[in-house]
Amino acid sequence: MLSFNQDCWFVRKVVRWRALASIAWSVLLLPATTTLFVFLVRFSLFHPVEWISECFGLLTAASTIFSLILLCGVVLVIGFFNLEGYTVVPSIPCSRVALLAKVLHPRQCVHSLVHCTVGMMVMWCASVMAGGRYQALGSPCTRGESADAPEVCLNEYHLFLLLAGAFIGYSHSFLGVVQNMNYVSFQIIQQYKYLRCKGSLPWVLKCSAVQSLYAVRNYVALYFFFGHIPRAWISNSLNLPIDRVFFFFFVFDVRNNAISLTLFLALFLCLCVSVCFSVSSAVVSGTEDLPQTPRPSVLLKTPGSVFLKSSGRGISSPLTAPFTPDLDSPFSTPSLRHLAAQQVPQQGQWLGSVQSPHIIRRGPKLWSTSTGLLSLILIKKTLQVFFILFTSALTCCAQVKGFMAKRVLVVYLFNKLPEASSQALFADSQAHIWALEGLSHLVAASFSEDKYGVVQTTLPSILGCMLSLQEAVDRHFKLPHASSKPVKTSCSMGDSTYKTLRFALRAALKTSIYRITSTFGEHLNAVCISAEHQKRLQQFMEYRE
Amino acid sequence: MCSLALFPPPLSGGQITLYEANNELVAGSSPDCYEKQGAQTLSALNFPRETLKPHSRPESSSKAAFLDHKDTLWMRSAGAWRDAGLSGLLDEITNSAEEVPKWLAVSSGCVLALIRWMSSFHGSLFPHLTLSGEEMTAEFSQVSDSAIRSFAWHPHTDKFAVALLDDSIKIYNSRSATAPTLKHRLQRNVSAMQWKPLCASALAVACHTCLLVWHVDPSSLSTRPSSGCAQVLSHPGHSPVTSVAWSPSGSLLVSASPVDTAMMVWDVAAENCVPLQRVGGGGVTNVSWSPDGSRLLAATPSALFRVWETRMWTCERWPCLKGRCQSACWSPDGSRLLFSVQGEMVIYALTFSDMTGGPKSAAVVADLSETTFSGIDDITVGGEVQSLAWDPTGERLAVLLKGSSSHPAIIAVFKTRSSPVFELLPCGFVSGEIGAEPRLIQFHPHFQHGALLTVCWSNGRISHVPFYFVSVGRPHTGGSPPLPHITSKIEDYSTTHTLYTEQIS
């Protein structure tokens, strides 16, 4: 998760300000959405004058003002609470048990609890504003046998809405985990914020409408089967008798359904607008500092360190010194290093760092070093500790594992999800894509501009690294499920770009090598690289890859 | 300003333009010159129309071909909704008035009438919206009536793709004997193709309902790549696609549809897109990326085109006086845009520079009004521009002039010079066999000895016309090639098995 105490320019300069701006926007827009909501709830086609005057009366009532203030507080709380979660590298559970652990994680439980509470509060505000029979938890009712004095019963309309709020809050939080809703992808093109927000607004509205309709469906089904439990509990604890006619009305009363629908929509829009604003703004600014063509002042540091270090040669040359500034490069991600290490184990420089996947998981992640061009923080320590404990326990007790492996449920839980490991491996490869593009542009530019041969002397190692990465990626795509495209979900709030990053990396890698070969042409024959790489390079020069 | 009157007179009597050398176009008299060239080339391609069967699937559903059977109203409504959307659903309800309540039938009839009235009003604002998809493709893309619908050279290697009338695409490679044929269920009404730059295999194809990106492995021996090699990129409301353009860096793909006011910027790996919407124009017909990647031209069906800058994706509007932008091409350095407007017989130029903040108005650089050359028999040339092509060295400009009832279509080739001032100079006319009119023109992207123009003729023939000259600005990689001398040319080129060995014996 993003944490603020780490000194990270992306968080400091971009996410924090954008998120604050988005929270401010959603608070500013709250009166407008509240007014819209009141007008929708009180809508009556045949009495327009009455409707409007009633709405204006309601808008100036004390209870509405109080609800509005409460809603402001709620939006602020949820905004700041969600702020911590945004990440550019999603965590992808590789098996069902990992997913389960993610859902049941204490942090996630707190997250769900806060969302439940917030949902209930929003619904309470909404029901107070809606007024009428939704207003309060207790309502006067006349029991059949004692018609003499009005008695206070449990108002099930109100309870229904409160529980709906809790349910939607929880499902939002749950889906957020399952669909990686806190993941923010980088956009492929840059646009001004206004245009981008304008462009994404219809999509956000449509998605939240669709999602809230699904949530209503699920909630109604759930309430139909299990609604009596909270009803009985509350009526017992508050000593309120239950009015028995509710469900009959609920099923057949069109107006009630319509109102609950609008309530859901309003709630969901409230939640989603804040999410979407922060998300889109973070995305917009995320690409702001990306150079279209490499700006030497920024990028000079990066390329050498990605590839030169990993190739294990060429560092000793003094000419390469400017290109290998720090050994602790932000781009040397463990996962890709691991991937390439399988290819070139004889280049022993990495062997120290490549031991087992679990140890690698604990190593510095791609975005965590503060020196990087794009250092963003993603360390899910507790989850990883949990995972490591779990797996080490398993390896220790191999017999237990063998025994457990025969149980169907265990096998179901521990089986690897298809594609998930591939997605997890390439989850952080956006930085590599940029590094490849920047490096290849630099090398291509060096063909005509590098008077002192700084890049040219390191060209063998650059090419060698790119080609071995290409080989490793090719080999990875031969695995089952690696080359299958993920199923497209038509309308989900989560961003699923991370699922296709491996294809993007493969395409960017090929483009980068082709950029170099098409610039240098026949001159590459003079570069001394290993025979195997030479063969591969020849394929690229003949445009046969 | 250059005009057609300054040109050398066009060939007459069935002579065929073969090549340019020593600043003049050389003609061959024999009508089977192409056949002689064809003996040496990999493919003197000829696609007679009769051998190809156009697809016979109608655009609407093929309901009429089947026997009528009774579905329930719900089933029919769901089918109509799926096939034709809201208007189809309303139509279905209105037509089955005896099965639904009267008020429903009446109200759906009213809504349907209202929708039709609204769409006719919208159609009167943008007349192209009333066309069917196939008519729209024929109107706004360069698709011709011959057997060849579209043609695309690979940007780096001697390989090209030809889209044929029967909706298949053939790929010819000078280095291999196999010519893969690409077919796909969704590959209908191909209107444009482009190879991805800095990539050997990816080919984007603009189809009737979607955009296909084929990945054809160049080392594969398969002649029929499976449809699993194609990525389908589609977006609701974005069909028919009439134009595609890859960014020169190969990272983005832009597609345009005359029906959709938004043009789509695709991330091909993730298969998702960013719509870039602007009001006005009624759609986008043609997109073209400048070779340096900094600007993008987007023409609309109305008298308006836009030039986008690709850093922050803002655009400037360029209203035309007379008609829509018919065709356009960028200079190799991306600083100059030549375009032609429907209804006018001139070529305009726009010069962009980073210093002055862009041009204020377009300048006329060539006059293409009808000119009669008097010789043995009077020949009239001139007319509106069908398409423009500028060779990668920036020294030759080919202009395909539309024909009329009195004179056939013809290609006029200009020499271009950008210093000290930009100007077009006459070079000559390229004419083909008797009865064959040029339909598509494209320059080879990296011809070593000048420029090579590939022409697709109306009789289904593809021929290559080389222009031998020494380019001023072109950096020669791998040592400068020897100047192709006319006398030594035959042994220079006739022995190499490349696609463009066009020589007379």
Side-chain angles (χ1 to χ4, degrees):
Chain A
M1 301 266 165
L2 272 159
S3 59
F4 280 95
N5 47 13
Q6 264 162 302
D7 184 29
C8 160
W9 70 266
F10 193 85
V11 174
R12 253 188 298 115
K13 288 190 178 168
V14 180
V15 173
R16 195 181 288 183
W17 287 112
R18 296 291 171 245
L20 288 178
S22 69
I23 293 169
W25 268 113
S26 42
V27 169
L28 283 178
L29 287 176
L30 205 54
T33 49
T34 313
T35 314
L36 187 70
F37 170 70
V38 167
F39 273 84
L40 277 179
V41 164
R42 292 290 164 117
F43 180 70
S44 68
L45 182 64
F46 301 109
H47 308 284
V49 180
E50 208 175 302
W51 167 50
I52 291 176
S53 62
E54 195 183 341
C55 284
F56 277 114
L58 197 65
L59 280 175
T60 47
S63 66
T64 313
I65 306 285
F66 176 70
S67 305
L68 192 62
I69 294 169
L70 193 65
L71 277 179
C72 283
V74 160
V75 168
L76 286 176
V77 165
I78 202 78
F80 279 104
F81 189 73
N82 276 338
L83 184 57
E84 226 182 302
Y86 291 121
T87 173
V88 291
V89 179
S91 76
I92 297 160
C94 288
S95 62
R96 288 185 181 84
V97 74
L99 184 64
L100 202 63
K102 214 175 144 189
V103 173
L104 297 177
H105 188 272
R107 182 192 291 250
Q108 177 56 30
C109 289
V110 172
H111 191 262
S112 306
L113 202 66
V114 170
H115 273 81
C116 276
T117 320
V118 164
M120 277 176 97
M121 286 167 81
V122 171
M123 271 306 183
W124 185 80
C125 294
S127 57
V128 165
M129 280 189 273
R133 57 182 168 180
Y134 306 97
Q135 184 116 32
L137 194 59
S139 67
C141 62
T142 51
R143 318 284 310 261
E145 60 270 18
S146 58
D148 45 354
E151 208 177 336
V152 177
C153 297
L154 179 69
N155 183 3
E156 204 162 354
Y157 297 109
H158 190 80
L159 181 67
F160 180 79
L161 291 184
L162 285 189
L163 288 177
F167 177 80
I168 295 209
Y170 181 75
S171 64
H172 190 77
S173 156
F174 176 76
L175 283 180
V177 174
V178 173
Q179 298 179 352
N180 269 315
M181 227 185 265
N182 60 347
Y183 165 69
V184 182
S185 73
F186 291 90
Q187 288 294 309
I188 48 172
I189 57 171
Q190 304 179 67
Q191 280 177 279
Y192 286 108
K193 259 175 229 98
Y194 164 70
L195 293 172
R196 174 152 171 66
C197 280
K198 199 181 77 175
S200 61
L201 201 60
W203 176 79
V204 167
L205 288 179
K206 186 185 151 207
C207 279
S208 32
V210 168
Q211 291 242 331
S212 51
L213 285 178
Y214 274 121
V216 168
R217 185 197 66 183
N218 296 344
Y219 175 66
V220 167
L222 201 69
Y223 193 85
F224 185 82
F225 290 113
F226 301 105
H228 63 277
I229 301 171
R231 196 166 55 206
W233 181 60
I234 288 182
S235 87
N236 275 342
S237 59
L238 294 183
N239 204 8
L240 290 172
I242 295 171
D243 201 353
R244 62 206 139 46
V245 289
F246 168 73
F247 215 85
F248 178 76
F249 273 107
F250 168 69
V251 174
F252 293 102
D253 188 347
V254 177
R255 184 169 174 239
N256 184 8
N257 281 342
I259 284 184
S260 64
L261 278 183
T262 44
L263 287 180
F264 284 124
L265 282 171
L267 169 77
F268 220 83
L269 289 185
C270 255
L271 283 176
C272 293
V273 163
S274 73
V275 169
C276 112
F277 269 107
S278 44
V279 165
S280 56
S281 50
V283 165
V284 169
S285 45
T287 48
E288 250 165 28
D289 290 304
L290 261 185
Q292 280 280 346
T293 51
R295 284 184 305 197
S297 60
V298 185
L299 274 173
L300 260 182
K301 264 172 74 177
T302 57
S305 41
V306 191
F307 295 99
L308 302 191
K309 204 177 81 178
S310 48
S311 81
R313 66 163 108 165
I315 293 182
S316 54
S317 162
L319 274 177
T320 63
F323 285 88
T324 52
D326 49 354
L327 284 176
D328 195 32
S329 152
F331 287 105
S332 55
T333 179
S335 51
L336 274 190
R337 206 190 284 167
H338 179 63
L339 182 71
Q342 293 168 340
Q343 289 301 311
V344 274
Q346 72 276 13
Q347 297 189 359
Q349 200 188 356
W350 305 346
L351 283 178
S353 67
V354 180
Q355 290 154 7
S356 83
H358 311 310
I359 302 218
I360 281 169
R361 270 168 194 279
R362 257 184 294 159
K365 293 284 275 189
L366 169 60
W367 308 93
S368 62
T369 25
S370 55
T371 52
L373 171 68
L374 290 151
S375 42
L376 261 185
I377 288 83
L378 171 77
I379 302 173
K380 297 194 165 63
K381 278 179 190 154
T382 34
L383 176 62
Q384 285 165 2
V385 166
F386 180 83
F387 189 72
I388 290 164
L389 281 180
F390 210 92
T391 45
S392 60
L394 273 186
T395 46
C396 282
C397 316
Q399 292 161 330
V400 177
K401 195 176 159 190
F403 173 74
M404 300 284 272
K406 291 181 189 119
R407 301 293 176 274
V408 178
L409 180 67
V410 176
V411 169
Y412 175 77
L413 284 179
F414 282 83
N415 260 351
K416 286 220 160 192
L417 293 172
E419 269 191 68
S421 53
S422 186
Q423 285 174 13
L425 183 64
F426 287 91
D428 54 355
S429 48
Q430 183 62 58
H432 297 84
I433 293 171
W434 290 330
L436 281 167
E437 285 176 358
L439 181 62
S440 65
H441 271 117
L442 268 183
V443 172
S446 79
F447 182 69
S448 54
E449 294 173 22
D450 184 15
K451 283 183 193 159
Y452 302 103
V454 179
V455 178
Q456 317 276 331
T457 46
T458 54
L459 195 57
S461 23
I462 293 174
L463 282 174
C465 281
M466 283 191 171
L467 290 170
S468 38
L469 184 58
Q470 158 79 16
E471 204 172 327
V473 168
D474 267 1
R475 203 172 282 192
H476 179 85
F477 271 92
K478 294 214 170 71
L479 293 176
H481 298 298
S483 54
S484 59
K485 291 265 175 190
V487 184
K488 283 190 105 174
T489 47
S490 57
C491 216
S492 92
M493 293 297 290
D495 194 335
S496 60
T497 311
Y498 65 90
K499 290 181 184 168
T500 52
L501 270 180
R502 58 182 184 277
F503 300 104
L505 180 77
R506 182 170 66 166
L509 182 59
K510 273 194 181 173
T511 305
S512 305
I513 300 178
Y514 272 123
R515 186 170 290 130
I516 294 175
T517 54
S518 68
T519 313
F520 281 75
E522 297 295 314
H523 297 286
L524 282 183
N525 289 331
V527 176
C528 54
I529 48 176
S530 70
E532 196 183 332
H533 285 165
Q534 188 75 52
K535 213 169 112 191
R536 218 158 220 285
L537 198 61
Q538 195 59 39
Q539 293 275 343
F540 273 98
M541 285 162 70
E542 290 171 0
Y543 290 93
R544 299 184 72 83
E545 266 296 324
Chain B
M1 190 174 71
C2 189
S3 78
L4 289 182
L6 305 173
F7 271 65
L11 301 172
S12 60
Q15 287 203 313
I16 298 166
T17 310
L18 293 174
Y19 59 89
E20 182 209 305
N22 294 334
N23 270 333
E24 57 188 24
L25 290 172
V26 178
S29 54
S30 136
D32 57 354
C33 278
Y34 291 137
E35 299 300 327
K36 285 180 190 164
Q37 295 150 8
Q40 311 160 356
T41 57
L42 178 128
S43 48
L45 291 167
N46 194 4
F47 300 99
R49 196 186 159 97
E50 296 74 41
T51 59
L52 298 166
K53 205 164 100 282
H55 71 89
S56 54
R57 285 163 290 181
E59 225 177 80
S60 55
S61 72
S62 48
K63 201 164 50 178
F66 294 92
L67 284 179
D68 188 32
H69 76 288
K70 283 292 170 195
D71 272 335
T72 61
L73 178 68
W74 288 113
M75 295 286 286
R76 276 183 284 138
S77 305
W81 169 263
R82 198 183 55 236
D83 286 345
L86 181 65
S87 62
L89 177 67
L90 292 173
D91 201 28
E92 184 66 49
I93 291 176
T94 317
N95 286 340
S96 49
E98 66 277 9
E99 291 174 65
V100 294
K102 193 169 176 352
W103 60 270
L104 187 60
V106 170
S107 59
S108 69
C110 291
V111 174
L112 193 64
L114 191 67
I115 287 178
R116 283 190 180 144
W117 181 76
M118 295 275 282
S119 68
S120 72
F121 178 67
H122 194 210
S124 69
L125 281 181
F126 298 109
H128 70 275
L129 293 178
T130 56
L131 299 175
S132 77
E134 285 167 31
E135 289 166 350
M136 216 179 281
T137 307
E139 172 76 21
F140 295 118
S141 63
Q142 298 288 340
V143 165
S144 64
D145 55 349
S146 73
I148 302 164
R149 288 185 70 94
S150 184
F151 180 91
W153 273 108
H154 191 276
H156 305 289
T157 182
D158 290 334
K159 179 159 81 170
F160 59 78
V162 183
L164 299 174
L165 193 65
D166 60 349
D167 290 331
S168 66
I169 294 175
K170 278 184 182 293
I171 294 173
Y172 292 93
N173 192 340
S174 68
R175 290 209 189 87
S176 84
T178 55
T181 306
L182 310 179
K183 284 187 181 175
H184 195 280
R185 188 172 51 86
L186 296 169
Q187 188 170 291
R188 295 203 287 125
N189 281 337
V190 176
S191 54
M193 295 186 293
Q194 198 181 11
W195 290 91
K196 179 178 176 180
L198 298 173
C199 181
S201 59
L203 174 73
V205 183
C207 304
H208 187 241
T209 54
C210 63
L211 198 62
L212 291 177
V213 179
W214 283 95
H215 295 272
V216 191
D217 186 2
S219 51
S220 163
L221 293 174
S222 158
T223 54
R224 194 58 209 281
S226 79
S227 56
C229 300
Q231 276 179 284
V232 181
L233 308 176
S234 65
H235 192 267
H238 194 69
S239 74
V241 183
T242 53
S243 182
V244 282
W246 288 95
S247 72
S249 65
S251 53
L252 299 174
L253 177 68
V254 175
S255 70
S257 166
V259 178
D260 196 355
T261 50
M263 67 177 191
M264 299 289 163
V265 182
W266 292 92
D267 179 3
V268 176
E271 295 187 5
N272 58 17
C273 62
V274 180
L276 290 174
Q277 189 131 26
R278 288 292 183 274
V279 185
V284 183
T285 54
N286 187 19
V287 284
S288 158
W289 217 301
S290 74
D292 63 345
S294 64
R295 287 184 186 83
L296 179 81
L297 169 91
T300 69
S302 310
L304 168 78
F305 65 93
R306 296 189 179 87
V307 178
W308 293 79
E309 58 86 23
T310 58
R311 215 184 138 265
M312 292 305 285
W313 290 93
T314 53
C315 64
E316 46 189 56
R317 286 162 54 96
W318 282 93
C320 311
L321 284 179
K322 213 145 179 204
R324 66 185 164 88
C325 173
Q326 165 70 30
S327 172
C329 62
W330 290 90
S331 69
D333 60 351
S335 67
R336 190 163 283 123
L337 174 71
L338 297 187
F339 65 95
S340 65
V341 171
Q342 202 181 35
E344 290 189 58
M345 299 182 192
V346 290
I347 300 176
Y348 289 100
L350 275 177
T351 311
F352 296 91
S353 74
D354 294 330
M355 305 296 167
T356 55
K360 298 286 176 284
S361 67
V364 177
V365 290
D367 177 18
L368 305 170
S369 52
E370 290 184 8
T371 310
T372 304
F373 292 92
S374 51
I376 306 161
D377 44 352
D378 287 356
I379 304 173
T380 306
V381 291
E384 287 183 35
V385 176
Q386 169 71 29
S387 63
L388 293 165
W390 207 336
D391 90 300
T393 60
E395 308 227 354
R396 293 290 181 276
L397 175 76
V399 182
L400 174 50
L401 300 171
K402 273 182 198 167
S404 71
S405 54
S406 59
H407 55 273
I410 197 168
I411 301 170
V413 180
F414 292 89
K415 294 172 192 165
T416 54
R417 199 164 66 182
S418 57
S419 65
V421 288
F422 176 73
E423 59 180 338
L424 297 180
L425 304 168
C427 180
F429 294 105
V430 174
S431 43
E433 296 169 46
I434 297 175
E437 294 189 22
R439 287 287 179 257
L440 300 168
I441 51 172
Q442 192 169 29
F443 274 102
H444 188 283
H446 55 95
F447 187 60
Q448 288 294 322
H449 312 288
L452 178 83
L453 180 70
T454 304
V455 186
C456 303
W457 301 91
S458 59
N459 59 359
R461 190 181 291 282
I462 297 177
S463 71
H464 309 282
V465 183
F467 297 82
Y468 296 110
F469 57 88
V470 181
S471 163
V472 190
R474 183 171 181 140
H476 290 293
T477 54
S480 65
L483 168 64
H485 203 261
I486 265 311
T487 51
S488 66
K489 205 167 52 193
I490 290 170
E491 48 275 24
D492 271 349
Y493 303 117
S494 57
T495 49
T496 54
H497 283 265
T498 51
L499 285 174
Y500 38 81
T501 52
E502 294 237 341
Q503 286 308 315
I504 47 167
S505 50

